[in-house]
Amino acid sequence: MDTIDSTLVDWSRAQFALTAMYHWIFVPLTLGLGVVMAIMETLYVRTGREFWKQTARFWMKLFGINFAMGVATGIILEFEFGTNWSNYSWFVGDIFGAPLAIEGIVAFFMESTFIAVMYFGWNKVSKGAHLASTWLTIIGATLSAWWILVANAWMQYPVGMEFNPDTVRNEMVDFAAVALSPVAVVKFCHTVTSSWVLGAAFVVGMSCWYLLRGRHTDFAKASIRVACWFGLVAALLTAHTGHQSGRDIARLQPMKLAAAEGLYEGGNNQGLVMAAALRPGVDWAAPTSEERFLFNIELPGALSFLATHEWDGYVPGIRNILEGGYPLPDGSTALSAEEKMQRGRTAIAALATYRQTKDAAEKQAALETLRANFACFGYGYLSTPADLVPPVPLTFYSFRIMVMVGGFYLALFAGMLVLGKWICRWKLALLAVVLSTPLAWMASQAGWVVAEVGRQPWAIQGLLPNVAAISRLDVGAVQTTFFIFLGLFTLLLVAEVSIMVRAIATGPELKD
Amino acid sequence: MTLGRTLWYIILVKLLIMFAVLKPFFFPSHLQGTEQEKEAAVSAELTGRVNNP
């Protein structure tokens, strides 16, 4: 066997994660703040009040700073696909590349065109045309997110393709299946609505800062009112789409659900973990006589209900998934990890035979064997069934951070709408709201940690694990670029935060 | 410096670093040669990394 140093896999993953997490600081604020400012401009056009125009222009200024700092940070991810993930890029580039190309050609150009009218078109185009440009800017940004999330959803649930052993590439055979995959639709809705929550949280947090300082109070209260209504609707939609996403995970990525719930031994009528602490150092891939939780408070049957819509529904745990033999939703029986690994090795050996042999009959037989076992292709690269178990504590706690912060914002937006007058006079409460603003980013990042760490070891679910997807690079080179990025990203982040803080400190230019 | 000018300056510096430094010096294309050579290289990688017990 041609071995790959596990350190190379870890550093390649770390570098990609660093770049993606940095990129994701800017994207959700663009998506969320964009809608808030568009709503404010709509209020200006509908009421004719100059106040709303000035309010919209201030938030637009912060949107511009965030947009400028975030623009092009995603390009580094695309460099990394070619350099660090060359096997992956070749293996699935025909499918993965299509949504990325559409994103660049259609959505990003749409966004870039209308953003110019939005910033430079005040007093040059009519109110209606300007408002349309503002909405089209944010629709363009949201469409960008759509295509990126289609690409990501395909990695979680690969559909609409056929493997061509002559080119060693997966080729798209059904564009609609890829672009409108149910996983993509749910992922898009959940990601965008959660970004709206983040945008609303930012507006509320910064507005509370003005109230705390006793500055621009009318502007701050009006911004809080708009952001809280928007944020409340967004938080409810996020909860609903999060549930849909959970159902998809239960059906298509049961190991991720088991890791997020710390579920080793599954079964019927499974409880949902409400509050718990995992015992440190437990091996989640093997049986143990130790308790896996230090404490655990469960809601009986709730996990089964959320995953299957039946209180008595079956939810497999880590052990069940590794050992197989449990009933799948389509009526078949789950294969064990060992069986899948064997089928994977058979598929890879058939690919090797297909590409080496000159004998037509042998080639045809190899092709049939490859096709019969292709669904398990990626399992052939695993060393042991334990490789299929993702880092449980990271997935488990990230999931809880995401849900708890989501719940916090739901309560905060509702509380601010009901008790706003009282909260706005209580300095400690205002300070708490200001200081809680970074929680929105924490939840957003935690959501991606659940989505991506929870599906390890896969680059593409079931088809290609990271160990086969990465390029054979020198570990030192990947480490060097990791630290270059860390320095570069930190500098850019400091620049953004300082420019943003200066703009917030200056405040809106309000004229009556 | 006005805000707009500062942002443009940062964008240009960022793009310069990405395309003039990172891409040519740290992110060369890993797969090179003709399409057939690339196919053969990926095929050798994918069939060579399999785990046979």
Side-chain angles (χ1 to χ4, degrees), chain A residues 412-469:
Chain A
L412 178 74
F413 296 139
M416 292 288 278
L417 285 170
V418 177
L419 305 167
K421 282 185 183 167
W422 179 73
I423 292 173
C424 289
R425 285 197 296 264
W426 188 22
K427 290 205 165 188
L428 204 60
L430 290 174
L431 181 65
V433 177
V434 175
L435 294 178
S436 71
T437 309
L439 287 179
W441 273 269
M442 197 191 288
S444 198
Q445 299 278 357
W448 277 110
V449 170
V450 175
E452 298 303 309
V453 174
R455 70 184 181 91
Q456 291 307 307
W458 301 113
I460 305 152
Q461 189 77 29
L463 289 188
L464 199 68
N466 290 323
V467 71

Side-chain angles (χ1 to χ4, degrees), chain A residues 1-2 4 61 68-69 71-72 79-80 82-83 86-87 90-91 166-168 345 348 352 355 380-383 467-468 470-473 481 484-485 492 499, chain B residues 3 6-8 10-11 14-15 17-19 22-23 26-31 34-36 38-53:
Chain A
M1 185 191 124
D2 203 0
I4 279 285
K61 185 175 168 182
M69 298 306 297
V71 76
F79 291 169
E80 288 172 17
T83 303
S86 58
N87 289 348
W90 185 268
F91 192 64
D166 292 313
T167 58
V168 201
R345 290 181 199 119
I348 296 165
R355 291 194 55 86
Y381 296 100
L382 306 179
S383 301
V467 71
I470 57 168
S471 310
R472 190 181 296 279
L473 297 174
T481 44
I484 288 175
F485 288 168
L492 279 171
I499 294 171
Chain B
L3 177 64
T6 307
L7 293 175
W8 274 115
I10 291 173
I11 290 171
K14 188 164 56 174
L15 289 174
I17 292 172
M18 281 180 194
F19 288 102
L22 294 178
K23 179 63 182 155
F26 295 99
F27 288 103
S29 293
H30 192 70
L31 288 177
T34 63
E35 288 291 293
Q36 284 76 16
K38 289 178 186 173
E39 282 166 18
V42 175
S43 173
E45 284 286 321
L46 291 184
T47 54
R49 289 187 195 177
V50 67
N51 260 303
N52 283 312

Side-chain angles (χ1 to χ4, degrees), chain A residues 251-266:
Chain A
R251 192 166 54 91
L252 304 166
Q253 296 174 306
M255 185 61 92
K256 187 191 285 184
L257 181 67
E261 280 297 309
L263 183 66
Y264 183 74
E265 190 76 51

Side-chain angles (χ1 to χ4, degrees), chain A residues 271-294:
Chain A
L272 183 72
V273 176
M274 304 302 289
L278 302 180
R279 182 178 295 281
V282 168
D283 180 0
W284 282 89
T288 173
S289 55
E290 271 187 306
E291 274 295 319
R292 291 176 187 272
F293 289 89
L294 292 172

